[in-house]
């Protein structure tokens, strides 16, 4: 029998009505064996996500302030769901345990993880599936990175015992047993980990949009949906800001070649976007799969005569940056110039010290940091074979009277990344989209 792993995002589980839709989806297909829930998300704009409320409780507890009010809001979210589903089920004992743990200064990750934990308990009970605490099968190393192999072995053993199970998303455990979460949106990663562990035929990721669109609909009017995208393209787009799926959730399923299908809980008939390792013969001749980008970028510009002849120049610059715990995004260079493109946020509180370290390391003629840039990635697997794509991107941006500050092309020739001023960001994306939407 086919095995499907389904992950439902916070908006799909925000209240009892949404939960009922989820149950209908799961119960409609016998292949739906393992389900990964997020914590309840926003029910309407301006509403709070339970995870955010939990983080607030944690912060209040750190300041020895009263958590009762915020914790009551959290409890009521779950109580309303249970009541709306007409269940004979109570989480009151769990609430007590969690509240005591928070008051006893439980760790930040433990507190945040309870959103998924509690929602998982409700969903498991409602579906009649086994509840499996993710802490018992998803592991991290001491340094906080994910322990993929131990997890895979243990989780396969554990899940193979059950035909159906609910495993809460977002967290696992450290070698000493404490709870550790992935970064925000990390339930997507849990879903992919579970899909690998059970050898799923497909990983369905249910959210509130019918898949990926070619561009951000807040920027481009009615962008076309993407039917099929490769893992590699998706990784580029997700990393650059396309927010439908966590960018790290591709790794567990990619090697096992398990396709991911992005689906819409509010429109289950829509086929959504398929994410696959390879696309066969294609009739579609569109060069571009998608466009994504992000603001908040700074560029450190370095100039020095005869830089090209100075052995180790680039390494010393990067070392100075690494020594500040900062990673860089891109590294465009000329003969006597080098730019380091990075997140403005990463420089917070370290600006002067980074500049001083670079000055000391390479004694440049010119050194400065410019803020207020945005990066735009134009991604497409068919770009490798298509001639003139770069020219079309640059011409469309130039025709929109926008200056390009930086250009980079990945070695896979699957993406072209440009840097523009933040104020030109939206116009540049529209110009590129229009050029390729023909
Ligand atoms: N609840 C967590 C968050 O809000 C994880 C997730 O939803 O995937 O980030």
């Amino acid at each position: 029998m086919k095995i499907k792993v389904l992950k439902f995002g916070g908006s799909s589980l925000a209240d009892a009505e949404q939960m009922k839709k989820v149950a209908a989806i799961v119960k409609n297909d016998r292949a739906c064996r393992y389900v990964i829930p997020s914590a309840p998300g926003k029910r309407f704009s301006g509403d709070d996500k339970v995870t955010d409320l939990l983080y607030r409780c944690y912060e209040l507890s750190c300041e020895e302030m009263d958590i009762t009010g915020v914790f009551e809001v959290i409890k009521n979210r779950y109580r309303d769901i249970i009541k709306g589903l007409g269940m004979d089920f109570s989480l009151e004992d769990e609430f007590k345990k969690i509240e005591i743990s928070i008051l006893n200064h439980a760790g930040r990750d433990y507190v945040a993880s309870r959103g998924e934990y509690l929602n998982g308990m409700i969903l498991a009970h409602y579906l009649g599936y086994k509840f499996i605490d993710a802490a018992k099968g998803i592991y991290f190393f001491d340094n906080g990175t994910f322990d993929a192999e131990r997890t895979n072995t243990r989780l396969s053993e554990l899940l193979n015992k059950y035909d159906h199970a609910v495993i809460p998303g977002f967290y696992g455990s450290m070698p000493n047993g404490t709870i550790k979460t992935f970064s925000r949106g990390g339930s997507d990663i849990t879903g992919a980990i579970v899909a690998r562990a059970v050898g799923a035929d497909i990983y369905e990721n249910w959210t509130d949009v019918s898949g990926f669109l070619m561009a951000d609909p807040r920027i481009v009017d009615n962008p076309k949906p993407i039917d099929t995208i490769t893992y590699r393209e998706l990784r580029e787009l997700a990393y650059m800001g396309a927010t439908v799926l966590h960018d790290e959730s591709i790794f567990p399923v990619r090697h096992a070649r398990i396709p991911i299908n992005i689906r819409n809980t509010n429109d289950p008939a829509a086929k959504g976007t398929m994410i696959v390792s390879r696309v066969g013969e294609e009739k579609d001749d569109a060069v571009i799969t998608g466009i994504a980008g992000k603001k908040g970028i700074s560029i450190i510009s370095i100039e020095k005569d005869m830089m090209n002849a100075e052995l180790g120049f680039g390494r010393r610059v990067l070392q100075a940056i690494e020594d500040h715990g900062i990673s860089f995004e891109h590294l465009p260079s000329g003969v006597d110039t080098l730019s380091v493109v990075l997140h403005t946020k990463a420089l917070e509180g370290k600006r002067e010290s980074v500049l001083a370290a670079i000055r000391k390391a390479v004694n440049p003629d010119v050194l400065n940091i410019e803020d207020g840039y945005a990066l735009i990635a134009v991604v497409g697997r068919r770009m490798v074979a298509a001639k003139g794509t770069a020219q079309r991107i640059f011409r469309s941006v130039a025709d929109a009277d926008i200056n390009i500050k930086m250009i980079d092309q990945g070695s896979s020739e699957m993406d072209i990344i440009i840097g523009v001023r933040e104020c030109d960001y939206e116009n540049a994306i529209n110009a590129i989209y229009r050029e390729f939407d023909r």
Side-chain angles (χ1 to χ4, degrees):
M1 193 186 34
K2 268 197 162 191
I3 302 181
K4 282 188 182 180
V5 167
L6 293 84
K7 178 260 168 179
F8 290 91
S11 58
S12 302
L13 296 163
D15 59 23
E17 288 317 303
Q18 290 298 91
M19 259 276 182
K20 285 182 192 164
K21 291 184 194 169
V22 166
I25 291 165
V26 174
K27 292 291 181 169
N28 187 30
D29 183 351
R30 277 165 41 84
C32 298
R33 304 260 305 269
Y34 302 100
V35 182
I36 289 83
S38 281
K42 293 185 184 189
R43 294 158 294 182
F44 43 84
S45 97
D47 193 17
D48 286 310
K49 291 183 177 185
V50 164
T51 309
D52 290 324
L53 296 171
L54 286 163
Y55 279 124
R56 207 173 301 153
C57 280
Y58 169 78
E59 278 148 23
L60 290 171
S61 77
C62 290
E63 286 158 26
E64 304 292 348
M65 283 164 72
D66 186 15
I67 66 162
T68 326
V70 183
F71 200 64
E72 194 60 25
V73 176
I74 296 171
K75 289 195 278 192
N76 283 335
R77 290 289 302 264
Y78 292 105
R79 286 176 185 141
D80 286 350
I81 294 176
I82 294 170
K83 193 161 161 239
L85 294 176
M87 291 164 75
D88 179 19
F89 180 71
S90 165
L91 284 174
E92 298 305 315
D93 288 346
E94 292 292 337
F95 293 153
K96 270 188 213 118
K97 268 192 252 165
I98 295 169
E99 190 163 9
I100 292 171
S101 303
I102 299 176
L103 294 174
N104 285 328
H105 299 293
R108 185 171 189 268
D109 284 9
Y110 164 83
V111 178
S113 74
R114 296 305 89 182
E116 278 51 28
Y117 176 83
L118 294 170
N119 228 17
M121 287 190 132
I122 298 180
L123 189 61
H125 197 84
Y126 191 56
L127 294 173
Y129 282 17
K130 172 84 183 161
F131 173 79
I132 294 183
D133 186 353
K136 304 228 162 65
I138 295 188
Y139 302 116
F140 291 84
F141 290 113
D142 268 325
N143 65 6
T145 57
F146 171 56
D147 184 347
E149 294 319 311
R150 181 172 171 232
T151 296
N152 197 46
T153 312
R154 176 78 187 110
L155 204 57
S156 312
E157 283 167 11
L158 192 63
L159 295 178
N160 280 333
K161 291 190 199 144
Y162 304 99
D163 279 345
H164 301 95
V166 170
I167 307 99
F170 194 35
Y171 70 92
S173 56
M174 294 288 283
N176 67 4
T178 54
I179 297 292
K180 163 102 187 108
T181 62
F182 293 104
S183 54
R184 292 300 304 263
S187 300
D188 286 342
I189 308 176
T190 311
I193 292 167
V194 171
R196 178 185 172 205
V198 298
D201 295 281
I202 190 161
Y203 167 29
E204 291 185 350
N205 188 294
W206 291 79
T207 173
D208 52 8
V209 290
S210 297
F212 273 92
L213 300 171
M214 269 187 72
D216 186 338
R218 287 166 301 186
I219 299 175
V220 171
D221 277 343
N222 275 323
K224 283 190 184 139
I226 302 175
D227 285 346
T228 310
I229 183 170
T230 62
Y231 293 128
R232 294 179 73 182
E233 290 172 304
L234 178 76
R235 164 100 176 116
E236 305 274 347
L237 289 173
Y239 182 73
M240 284 299 279
T243 52
V244 180
L245 190 74
H246 194 296
D247 65 302
E248 285 169 34
S249 51
I250 293 151
F251 296 112
V253 285
R254 181 169 167 173
H255 294 296
R257 297 189 172 223
I258 300 167
I260 309 175
N261 189 191
I262 308 287
R263 302 287 296 269
N264 187 350
T265 304
N266 302 319
D267 183 11
K271 60 184 175 31
T273 300
M274 274 305 250
I275 305 161
V276 295
S277 60
R278 199 180 288 267
V279 181
E281 280 292 296
E282 291 181 273
K283 280 185 238 86
D284 190 355
D285 58 359
V287 186
I288 294 306
T289 303
I291 307 165
K294 51 190 171 191
K295 292 184 175 177
I297 297 293
S298 295
I299 302 180
I300 304 182
S301 302
I302 305 162
E303 289 180 27
K304 187 175 184 185
D305 285 347
M306 299 296 288
M307 176 192 289
N308 65 322
E310 217 179 291
L311 197 64
F313 190 97
R315 182 186 49 75
R316 288 200 296 278
V317 170
L318 292 183
Q319 187 68 54
I321 292 170
E322 182 183 336
D323 289 346
H324 286 79
I326 299 174
S327 58
F328 69 94
E329 297 294 297
H330 299 279
L331 204 62
S333 63
V335 182
D336 289 330
T337 62
L338 179 70
S339 302
V340 186
V341 180
L342 29 70
H343 290 278
T344 310
K345 224 166 177 256
L347 288 167
E348 250 167 36
K350 301 177 179 172
R351 231 162 237 273
E352 290 317 312
S353 164
V354 168
L355 287 177
I358 296 176
R359 221 170 266 127
K360 185 159 174 244
V362 294
N363 189 26
D365 300 332
V366 177
L367 175 66
N368 57 56
I369 303 180
E370 269 185 276
D371 299 331
Y373 284 98
L375 293 175
I376 299 172
V378 186
V379 177
R381 58 186 175 273
R382 306 177 196 89
M383 257 182 184
V384 187
K387 296 187 186 75
T389 312
Q391 184 249 350
R392 288 174 70 186
I393 295 171
F394 301 147
R395 201 198 45 229
S396 60
V397 174
D399 286 350
D401 202 20
I402 294 167
N403 193 18
I404 296 179
K405 170 77 181 175
M406 180 218 92
I407 302 166
D408 205 352
Q409 182 174 34
S411 56
S412 59
E413 289 182 52
M414 205 183 56
D415 61 342
I416 292 174
I417 294 162
I418 60 168
V420 296
R421 297 234 46 116
E422 271 181 356
C423 55
D424 292 325
Y425 176 70
E426 284 83 4
N427 287 343
I429 289 187
N430 269 298
I432 299 168
Y433 181 83
R434 276 197 307 275
E435 169 63 32
F436 288 95
D437 179 33
R438 290 177 176 180

